[in-house]
Amino acid sequence: MIQKNPNIGLHQYEKKRHGADQLPFAVYRSKIPQGFTYYPMHWHEEMEILYVEEGMLTLMVNGQKYTAEAGKFYVVS
């Protein structure tokens, strides 16, 4: 059952399936285009591991802001 994240709306639930039932794991390489200021707020039940190659970004996790720096990994459960 999908439970609503208290900090963002149910309509922001990411429905995309990541991996397979036996191995719910997927790798995505994304490059945020220059001038792109944000990635749409969303939530999902899977854990997410982020690596920032260069620059920095602000992560919003459960209503709390974090600054993510280049060369570091970030785990969002």
Side-chain angles (χ1 to χ4, degrees):
M1 178 177 159
I2 297 172
Q3 294 186 355
K4 184 176 178 181
N5 181 308
N7 298 298
I8 60 176
L10 184 59
H11 65 283
Q12 292 164 310
Y13 177 75
E14 184 180 53
K15 296 177 184 175
K16 181 176 181 177
R17 185 174 174 193
H18 302 280
D21 289 339
Q22 295 80 16
L23 184 62
F25 176 82
V27 175
Y28 305 100
R29 183 174 178 149
S30 300
K31 183 171 181 128
I32 298 174
Q34 190 170 359
F36 193 75
T37 58
Y38 75 97
Y39 188 82
M41 194 177 300
H42 67 283
W43 67 278
H44 44 75
E45 297 176 19
E46 298 88 4
M47 177 174 60
E48 191 165 338
I49 300 172
L50 304 164
Y51 176 74
V52 181
E53 284 188 1
E54 61 182 65
M56 57 189 231
L57 60 97
T58 300
L59 297 173
M60 179 74 82
V61 181
N62 290 330
Q64 182 83 25
K65 284 186 181 182
Y66 300 90
T67 300
E69 302 173 354
K72 296 184 178 179
F73 285 92
Y74 297 87
V75 178
V76 182
S77 61

